[in-house]
Amino acid sequence: MFMRRGASALGTAEPAVLLFGVATPRGAMACRPQVDPAILLHRDPRAWEELLGWRCIEAFLERARGVGVRDLQGLVDYSFSAPSTMWILLAGVEFVGSYASCWEDYVRRRRVGMGARTPFPWLDVGVELDVDIRISPAYLLLPFEETKRTWQRNAPTLLRYIPEIPTALDPHYYISKFFPPQLRAFSARGYVWVANTKSRGRRNHALAEWLYWLNTRRMSHIDIMLGKFEPRSPIDMVVAKDCGGASARCRHFKRRLKCLHSAGV
Amino acid sequence: MTEATSVEAVRRWLAERGAVWTERWGPPPRGIYALRDMHPPSHAEDACRQGLPLVYIAAVDRNGLYYIFGDVAWTPQLEKICKAVTFVVEAEPLRDGLNAIVKFVARTRHLPWVSFRPEVLRLAGICDEVRIECEPREVWKKMVEAAKSKIKNKTEAAGGGRTAPEAEEAGGVSPGGPGEDGAKSANRLVYVGGVGDGGAKSTNGLDHVGGASGQVLHAEVRRVHGDGGPGGGVRGGLDPAAVAAVLRAVERCLGREAVERLTACLHV
């Protein structure tokens, strides 16, 4: 029951201007992303333009203006430095298309696939590492406090060095600073090599994704989709050659991507 | 918020601020609770039995999302015994609106920033104002430890009192992991300051201490260098044990920010 109404001095919100796209029945602008929400951790505005499109970017900007974001670069920076706030900022955005369910899961239900997304080629390197990191950097999109148990169970190696992952405050900065240097050094051997080392019978795809993200500030599976994968050693060339243009799904890969098998090394 | 933040106090503050608000008796709408550790509903029962209302402030953004500020997360079990009053406040622009409410709640409830959800603090722009308060405590501790360790290592290296392996051993925890050719070069010093931040290397590991909150400090360090001070490294006369003790004392008495300022000032 309303009892009282206060004075107005803050001003009213300006109506959203639809520059691109069409209005949905609920009045919001439909966004048709061509990529999973991990792009929010991908610091490359061109990739945003290419895979999200301006329809999504405008919708995201519309919501992020309240926190001082003015343009695409600002949006990319904000998202990269505060990934776990994005589900709040993007609440209300309408998603359509094949990736809509990934985004709906993230924004409305706060769910993000934990596992690695990159289709690294299979290779028998015969190296076993004592590493337990099964979480992709994309999991930074969720608040650490709510997912602490998952981190403890699935990335204990990481948590040994960074007990509290600052998902809302420059995670890249802090993780870069405290990521075990021994593991960081493995990137010199190549991401494909790292991905194919084993820990307790599992391949270290997630570790390879972390190394790529820490080195480039970009998500490896998105770079692969765009054919921009940055090889770190000759062994990585096979990714650029055979997996270019592969699409990735937001969840753990149940259906193996074509390039996983086609890449003969 | 119960008796300590009375309904009248909230009303007065909103009026003074010239905010747009709606006041209604009833529980808060569904939304994001801004406080990190809320009291369990059982803590509110005594107050409710005395007839005191639970006070909630619900900041609503232009997209209709509610940020709820209150002491107790509302549950259906409270409906029978508690009455609640909710102030629905327009937070537009979001950062300014949230910022004011977060500060008001922190002041009136005597809450440290750490009581709020980091996401809300970030959206409210608090992290831009007092970044050090938003930095994870554990991470911050590690930075101080790393800084101390680096001072110790550098001083020992300058003094030549011990061999490198001994110094490394004395540095404490050697990060676990497999031995690998590339990994052998990674020692404590690399761990402290040289772990690449996208390739950006620092000539002075300590200017990173404190995270990006060290921006001002960073500039200060540069200025000192430009003034003809020593170009990095430990000042010869400083005893590492004394430095560590001073840092500990400063941290205990003056807080973490003071430690950060001091380490930057010593430009080690």
Side-chain angles (χ1 to χ4, degrees):
Chain A
M1 186 176 69
F2 293 103
M3 293 183 65
R4 176 178 172 161
R5 179 138 186 106
S8 170
L10 285 179
T12 52
E14 290 175 15
V17 179
L18 300 181
L19 295 176
F20 299 90
V22 291
T24 63
R26 283 161 65 183
M29 198 158 53
C31 154
R32 187 184 292 273
Q34 299 297 320
V35 67
D36 69 304
I39 196 163
L40 297 172
L41 285 154
H42 190 84
R43 202 173 196 173
D44 178 7
R46 289 193 173 200
W48 284 52
E49 282 182 311
E50 201 164 330
L51 294 170
L52 287 175
W54 276 96
R55 194 180 289 185
C56 292
I57 292 169
E58 281 294 328
F60 291 6
L61 275 173
E62 185 58 35
R63 278 152 184 82
R65 283 199 179 104
V67 292
V69 171
R70 297 184 185 283
D71 52 15
L72 175 58
Q73 185 63 55
L75 179 65
V76 172
D77 290 345
Y78 194 92
S79 170
F80 187 79
S81 65
S84 66
T85 61
M86 293 308 285
W87 66 272
I88 303 174
L89 278 184
L90 301 186
V93 175
E94 295 284 328
F95 296 101
V96 294
S98 54
Y99 283 91
S101 60
C102 306
W103 287 87
E104 298 276 345
D105 267 358
Y106 172 53
V107 173
R108 310 218 197 295
R109 291 176 276 281
R110 257 182 283 169
R111 282 192 214 140
V112 171
M114 181 190 82
R117 286 146 170 76
T118 311
F120 286 109
W122 290 71
L123 180 68
D124 188 15
V125 296
V127 175
E128 185 93 15
L129 300 180
D130 182 22
V131 176
D132 197 355
I133 299 178
R134 282 167 276 151
I135 290 182
S136 161
Y139 212 59
L140 294 168
L141 289 169
L142 297 178
F144 178 70
E145 284 180 9
E146 292 174 15
T147 53
K148 196 170 183 177
R149 295 290 296 275
T150 312
W151 284 95
Q152 285 169 341
R153 275 193 225 111
N154 298 291
T157 306
L158 199 56
L159 254 59
R160 195 159 14 122
Y161 295 91
I162 315 164
E164 199 180 335
I165 309 278
T167 53
L169 186 76
D170 288 349
H172 185 276
Y173 175 83
Y174 291 106
I175 295 172
S176 291
K177 206 163 183 57
F178 291 106
F179 201 81
Q182 295 95 328
L183 299 183
R184 195 79 187 262
F186 287 143
S187 54
R189 305 286 295 263
Y191 302 111
V192 173
W193 184 88
V194 174
N196 283 286
T197 57
K198 285 187 177 177
S199 294
R200 294 167 201 178
R202 290 166 178 265
R203 286 171 197 274
N204 285 312
H205 283 210
L207 175 60
E209 279 193 3
W210 277 104
L211 294 175
Y212 190 87
W213 183 71
L214 290 172
N215 290 337
T216 63
R217 293 177 166 83
R218 301 195 304 270
M219 294 296 294
S220 48
H221 71 286
I222 295 174
D223 269 357
I224 288 176
M225 289 166 79
L226 296 172
K228 289 181 177 176
F229 186 81
E230 246 180 56
R232 196 60 192 263
S233 82
I235 204 172
D236 288 338
M237 296 303 286
V238 71
V239 174
K241 188 177 148 197
D242 290 339
C243 300
S247 64
R249 293 154 65 91
C250 57
R251 295 264 171 181
H252 224 25
F253 290 105
K254 286 181 182 165
R255 186 165 53 91
R256 290 272 173 221
L257 291 173
K258 199 177 162 188
C259 69
L260 284 175
H261 294 299
S262 64
V265 183
Chain B
M1 284 173 271
T2 51
E3 68 277 15
T5 308
S6 68
V7 175
E8 191 51 45
V10 178
R11 207 177 279 153
R12 195 165 52 240
W13 176 74
L14 288 170
E16 281 170 5
R17 196 171 176 273
V20 176
W21 90 89
T22 306
E23 182 184 331
R24 66 186 180 205
W25 286 96
R30 297 184 75 174
I32 299 159
Y33 279 98
L35 284 173
R36 197 181 233 173
D37 299 311
M38 305 187 78
H39 294 300
S42 58
H43 285 203
E45 287 172 5
D46 282 347
C48 290
R49 289 205 180 90
Q50 292 171 37
L52 295 167
L54 297 178
V55 182
Y56 292 92
I57 298 176
V60 57
D61 69 8
R62 62 192 301 177
N63 302 308
L65 190 67
Y66 290 97
Y67 301 82
I68 316 290
F69 296 79
D71 286 332
V72 181
W74 186 263
T75 58
Q77 74 184 78
L78 288 173
E79 271 174 23
K80 293 172 189 168
I81 51 173
C82 292
K83 54 182 180 180
V85 58
T86 303
F87 293 86
V88 179
V89 185
E90 279 186 24
E92 187 58 40
L94 179 65
R95 182 163 61 183
D96 297 346
L98 273 185
N99 189 296
I101 297 172
V102 166
K103 283 178 177 170
F104 171 70
V105 172
R107 192 179 70 241
T108 53
R109 306 295 297 148
H110 307 288
L111 295 173
W113 297 125
V114 74
S115 302
F116 294 88
R117 285 183 66 138
E119 283 74 30
V120 172
L121 286 182
R122 186 69 203 257
L123 291 172
I126 300 289
C127 299
D128 300 332
E129 296 173 19
V130 280
R131 181 178 173 111
I132 200 161
E133 294 293 343
C134 292
E135 286 172 347
R137 205 169 180 79
E138 289 297 325
V139 171
W140 204 93
K141 276 184 193 167
K142 277 203 155 200
M143 285 181 166
V144 172
E145 289 301 320
K148 284 181 189 171
S149 171
K150 183 165 187 181
I151 292 169
K152 192 176 174 185
N153 285 350
K154 275 196 168 183
T155 314
E156 281 170 4
R162 294 154 95 175
T163 59
E166 281 172 343
E168 192 176 348
E169 198 180 327
V173 192
S174 174
E180 182 57 44
D181 48 3
K184 281 176 186 168
S185 63
N187 61 19
R188 187 76 175 166
L189 286 178
V190 174
Y191 173 63
V192 172
V195 179
D197 186 5
K201 298 271 182 189
S202 159
T203 53
N204 178 347
L206 272 184
D207 55 14
H208 284 317
V209 174
S213 62
Q215 288 301 316
V216 177
L217 298 175
H218 188 90
E220 197 177 336
V221 170
R222 285 184 185 281
R223 183 178 55 76
V224 171
H225 290 182
D227 287 344
V234 181
R235 278 183 176 169
L238 287 178
D239 175 17
V243 170
V246 167
L247 286 177
R248 265 200 304 277
V250 169
E251 186 185 3
R252 193 175 64 247
C253 302
L254 301 174
R256 293 171 288 168
E257 195 180 355
V259 176
E260 192 184 345
R261 285 177 182 278
L262 189 59
T263 50
C265 182
L266 291 172
H267 48 78
V268 283

